[in-house]
Amino acid sequence: MFDYLIVGAGFAGSVLAERLATRSNKKVLIVDKRNHIGGNAYDHYNEEGVLVHKYGPHIFHTNSREVFDYLTNFTEWRPYEHRVLASVDGQFLPIPINLDTINKLYGLSLNSFEVEQFLESLAESIPVIKTSEDVVVSKVGRELYEKFFRNYTRKQWGMDPSELDKSVTSRVPTRTNRDDRYFTDTYQAMPLHGYTRMFERMLDHPNISIMLNTDYHDVVSFIPFKEMIFTGPVDEYFDFKFGKLPYRSLEFKHETMNCENFLPAPVVNYPNEQPYTRITEFKALTGQKHPKTSIVYEYPQAEGDPYYPVPRPENAELYNKYKKLADQTPNVHFVGRLATYKYYNMDQVVAQALTLYKKLTTDKPTEKAATTPPITGSASIMEKILSRDPAKE
Ligand code: FAD
Ligand code: UDP
């Protein structure tokens, strides 16, 4: 008899398995229909020996000390601040739009104060910001919106930014300084030996059993368990009772090139001319040294594996129907990006899973908890991160 059957070995399922097994001495079975753990964060060494992310670039960043400290139990970190260039009008320009983006694009030499005035002169006044178009146009005006956001978003989501919730393009800020980092979170780092290694360490416990290549539908009636934690698509769990929740998919085209370096930045976004949205060069994220380099192109798709919930009001309404049903389903707990239909980053999913764990249990450590390494204070973690020399790794 398992205490928990966990569907999905991504962040949501793995965090809960780890906590329940090590802190509450629960017997856990994780099933995943894929042939690996890690969910969409899975990485592996390809045929050429380059560490790649199978499901597109995964860059860890968080403002949550709790989340960072928690994951530090299972990995060392490589300090990494992400930077992206956008291919616009024949140039590679920093995105998020910043002072240098404007100066390079228009051949100007404005300072921070002047660029602020410049953007104000372009911005359209929109009384209530509702959509992803409103967010950008109200900050930088229509021309920059069309060069950097409109077509990228139409490609990525298969709909116009005016049809998408404001939260989507709000993920990308506008800056009047020269900060060209994609994220400004307090903690920004990559797992030193990759995500999969981190997951292996999370799940390495005698109370945790794992069945891969297994759709839970095929085994659920044979496996004795008390409670279920479900991290797959919530509409699928309820047999699409209220209709399908839209999820956006991607096709990943991986390539290895016979050169050490291919792109001018770790990620290059292609808003306009290309059918793909972006190209990622993995060695730039992982710091790996290798004579060849591996890249991935992302081609957005309507059909395929569900990767992105689509944030728009009618979808939120449909999700709420499923949520009501989920809340009334005894002994089944829904958690993660697909099961709660939220455009969550990895750290948000970890936080959501830790919160569910606290709800499920009073978190009284048992004797077995002694096998869990103590959580280190984050000040010392950051010192370790900052003092590490990536060139030596
Ligand atoms: P998942 O990782 O999707 O895990 C769910 C698991 O459930 C899957 O392994 C699936 O196979 C399994 N499953 C589903 N149905 C069944 C079934 N019927 N039976 C058995 N198993 C089932 N976040 C960041 O923080 N930084 C990034 O840079 C970043 N980049 C991203 C890039 C892309 C292209 C994508 C798609 C996402 C990115 N994310 C990023 C988001 C990140 O991937 C998610 O936040 C995180 O992986 C979600 O974890 P999860 O456990 O909720 O879901
Ligand atoms: N976006 C855009 N142009 C860009 C980068 C982002 O239009 O160069 C928009 C697009 O709608 C995208 C959203 O902003 O889906 C969020 O971007 P992010 O890089 O956070 O997407 P993710 O990494 O989650 O795919």
Side-chain angles (χ1 to χ4, degrees):
M1 170 66 89
F2 291 99
D3 295 300
Y4 287 89
L5 171 64
I6 299 186
V7 179
F11 268 103
S14 299
V15 168
L16 277 152
E18 187 281 329
R19 288 287 87 176
L20 288 164
T22 64
R23 305 290 291 182
S24 304
N25 198 19
K26 299 291 184 195
K27 303 267 180 291
V28 175
L29 173 66
I30 308 189
V31 299
D32 201 301
K33 60 184 181 186
R34 289 172 166 163
N35 63 359
H36 57 72
I37 57 172
N40 286 338
Y42 170 74
D43 57 13
H44 68 109
Y45 287 88
N46 66 15
E47 281 176 4
E48 309 282 356
V50 181
L51 182 61
V52 300
H53 300 179
K54 181 167 183 179
Y55 306 99
H58 278 71
I59 294 116
F60 185 78
H61 56 101
T62 189
N63 282 318
S64 164
R65 177 180 167 157
E66 187 191 358
V67 167
F68 190 74
D69 283 354
Y70 171 71
L71 293 176
T72 300
N73 286 313
F74 313 104
T75 188
E76 293 168 81
W77 297 98
R78 164 180 195 258
Y80 174 74
E81 289 186 322
H82 191 48
R83 287 179 170 80
V84 179
L85 293 174
S87 169
V88 169
D89 290 356
Q91 295 193 70
F92 291 119
L93 302 168
I95 178 90
I97 291 174
N98 71 10
L99 175 62
D100 289 324
T101 314
I102 300 297
N103 281 337
K104 277 191 180 169
L105 181 65
Y106 293 116
L108 299 170
S109 46
L110 304 177
N111 61 31
S112 262
F113 177 67
E114 291 164 335
V115 90
E116 201 172 320
Q117 291 182 322
F118 179 76
L119 291 177
E120 269 170 27
S121 76
L122 301 176
E124 286 180 15
S125 153
I126 296 172
V128 185
I129 310 288
K130 283 197 189 135
T131 71
S132 268
E133 175 180 302
D134 297 343
V135 172
V136 183
V137 168
S138 67
K139 277 200 234 149
V140 300
R142 205 153 284 274
E143 183 171 303
L144 289 163
Y145 161 71
E146 282 175 4
K147 285 183 190 298
F148 288 87
F149 286 90
R150 182 159 186 255
N151 296 329
Y152 185 112
T153 302
R154 288 171 76 109
K155 247 190 303 193
Q156 170 73 8
W157 298 95
M159 64 183 74
D160 195 77
S162 60
E163 299 170 278
L164 274 172
D165 193 86
K166 64 180 178 186
S167 58
V168 175
T169 52
S170 298
R171 290 167 63 91
V172 184
T174 305
R175 304 198 183 112
T176 51
N177 59 21
R178 304 188 65 191
D179 187 349
D180 62 348
R181 292 171 306 161
Y182 207 70
F183 309 111
T184 51
D185 300 52
T186 312
Y187 306 102
Q188 302 189 43
M190 298 289 288
L192 184 60
H193 303 291
Y195 289 96
T196 303
R197 175 76 74 86
M198 180 174 79
F199 280 97
E200 282 166 1
R201 290 180 65 185
M202 285 169 92
L203 298 177
D204 179 17
H205 192 277
N207 284 348
I208 301 177
S209 309
I210 305 172
M211 282 173 80
L212 297 175
N213 301 303
T214 307
D215 191 312
Y216 87 102
H217 293 103
D218 299 336
V219 295
V220 69
S221 51
F222 309 113
I223 290 169
F225 63 92
K226 294 180 189 156
E227 298 191 40
M228 183 192 284
I229 290 168
F230 186 79
T231 78
V234 61
D235 55 339
E236 192 189 305
Y237 181 87
F238 292 109
D239 292 328
F240 310 104
K241 189 183 168 91
F242 304 120
K244 269 193 148 190
L245 270 171
Y247 293 91
R248 192 72 176 154
S249 191
L250 291 170
E251 194 185 315
F252 300 101
K253 201 175 138 235
H254 286 265
E255 263 181 37
T256 297
M257 334 284 289
N258 219 346
C259 54
E260 245 188 284
N261 168 246
F262 179 68
L263 291 177
V267 169
V268 176
N269 286 358
Y270 291 86
N272 301 313
E273 286 83 12
Q274 311 295 347
Y276 43 84
T277 49
R278 60 186 176 192
I279 312 179
T280 299
E281 182 162 11
F282 290 108
K283 278 166 50 185
L285 313 185
T286 61
Q288 188 184 2
K289 305 274 178 256
H290 196 286
K292 296 187 179 182
T293 195
S294 293
I295 58 173
V296 69
Y297 297 80
E298 291 173 55
Y299 292 87
Q301 313 277 323
E303 301 300 325
D305 278 1
Y307 292 126
Y308 290 85
V310 183
R312 58 197 308 241
E314 48 268 65
N315 299 350
E317 227 170 84
L318 180 55
Y319 166 66
N320 280 335
K321 287 190 185 174
Y322 282 112
K323 175 156 186 343
K324 254 193 201 153
L325 206 54
D327 289 344
Q328 290 160 8
T329 306
N331 301 327
V332 185
H333 310 279
F334 295 80
V335 60
R337 176 151 147 149
L338 304 172
T340 60
Y341 203 67
K342 295 282 181 307
Y343 187 178
Y344 274 166
N345 293 324
M346 296 181 281
D347 64 319
Q348 293 169 299
V349 171
V350 173
Q352 195 190 33
L354 291 173
T355 303
L356 174 58
Y357 171 69
K358 283 176 202 153
K359 219 180 96 191
L360 292 176
T361 159
T362 48
D363 197 11
K364 284 199 190 98
T366 63
E367 273 181 28
K368 292 210 166 179
T371 58
T372 309
I375 286 178
T376 326
S378 85
S380 62
I381 290 162
M382 287 316 284
E383 270 163 32
K384 259 194 259 168
I385 281 183
L386 294 170
S387 62
R388 183 177 291 138
D389 181 4
K392 289 189 187 142
E393 285 158 3

